[in-house]
Amino acid sequence: QVQLVESGGGLVQPGGSLRLSCVASGSTSSFHAMGWSRQAPGKQRELVAQITSGGATIYTDSVKGRVTISRDNAKNTVYLQMNSLKQEDTAVYYCYAVVVPQYYWGQGTQVTVSS
């Protein structure tokens, strides 16, 4: 059983930055992929970014150029560096890990972008 624990969320002003962290109970090098999704109030959960075991990354269009996903296998941790935050980035951010065909999810961390 994989357990994921997110941290790093909070309140930030527009234009600010946050770095989210997700620590996995297992070795991140054994996961086929890890990533972050988010869910804003009244909206469906959407993919934000993903990184595969080979290091390939994908980003949703709305965050490209502002967000970077990275992974530290030695620390079993995946990060989401978010810059130039906008009010529309406000959401609960969920970390996930994929061991095909199973997805594992963290409990989520709230990110609020507001002045």
Side-chain angles (χ1 to χ4, degrees), residues 4-11 18-24 36 76-82 92-95 106-111:
L4 304 169
V5 179
E6 302 102 329
S7 62
L11 174 64
L18 281 176
R19 188 177 79 157
L20 306 183
S21 301
C22 173
V23 180
W36 293 87
N76 294 334
T77 301
V78 64
Y79 302 99
L80 190 71
Q81 177 67 46
M82 302 189 292
V92 177
Y93 284 70
Y94 297 92
C95 172
Q107 82 288 352
T109 185
Q110 176 71 45
V111 171

Side-chain angles (χ1 to χ4, degrees), residues 13 17 26 35 51-52 64 75-77 84-85 87 90 99:
Q13 292 185 342
S17 298
I51 184 166
T52 69
K64 285 181 180 177
K75 296 182 178 180
N76 294 334
T77 301
S84 303
L85 283 163
Q87 287 187 332
T90 295
V99 182

Side-chain angles (χ1 to χ4, degrees), residues 37-70:
S37 289
R38 65 186 180 187
Q39 187 165 19
K43 295 187 177 181
Q44 289 187 330
R45 190 176 296 193
E46 65 169 353
L47 172 71
V48 178
Q50 178 174 287
I51 184 166
T52 69
S53 58
T57 57
I58 57 171
Y59 298 92
T60 193
D61 286 345
S62 62
V63 305
K64 285 181 180 177
R66 302 188 295 119
V67 167
T68 303
I69 189 170
S70 61

